[in-house]
Amino acid sequence: MTWSRRADVTFVYPVTPAGNAERDAEVIRTIVRRTIVMSWDDPAKVITEPGTMSLTSHAVDMTNGGCSAPTGYFVPPFGTAKEQPADEAHQIDPCDRSKPIDTGNGTTATGNDCATATRS
């Protein structure tokens, strides 16, 4: 028998530019939703050690953390809020758990432009 568990967690990171100690410094909320599915296989059926788990799948969706291919680092768009065009055709709600994460990098619209977050 295989047991699996799914975690669906949303992290909110308030970030400011490095070295900016002013009281009215720009603050951007980077919102990251991660889903992870882990499985614990039966050692009688699968070659594994008892209690060992396996990563079955993972997905990430993010707003205000950068629009290019994931690098493992957040790249908030400091100072560009007024320059960001609102993309009416590609909007996402980073806090909406009624839908699965878009595994095609849901924060990226056609042409590598940022999607518009409906909440952030």
Side-chain angles (χ1 to χ4, degrees), residues 11-74:
F11 299 91
V12 178
Y13 303 97
V15 292
T16 61
N20 195 343
E22 298 177 27
R23 290 184 58 100
D24 60 347
E26 180 180 16
V27 177
I28 292 180
R29 291 191 306 164
T30 297
I31 302 172
V32 182
R33 180 179 170 203
R34 300 177 189 271
T35 59
I36 300 170
V37 178
M38 303 295 293
S39 70
W40 287 263
D41 297 318
D42 183 354
K45 296 180 181 181
V46 178
I47 300 173
T48 185
E49 293 293 321
T52 302
M53 61 184 165
S54 301
L55 176 64
T56 303
S57 69
H58 71 288
V60 175
D61 201 357
M62 167 178 52
T63 60
N64 292 332
C67 296
S68 58
T71 61
Y73 295 97
F74 299 135

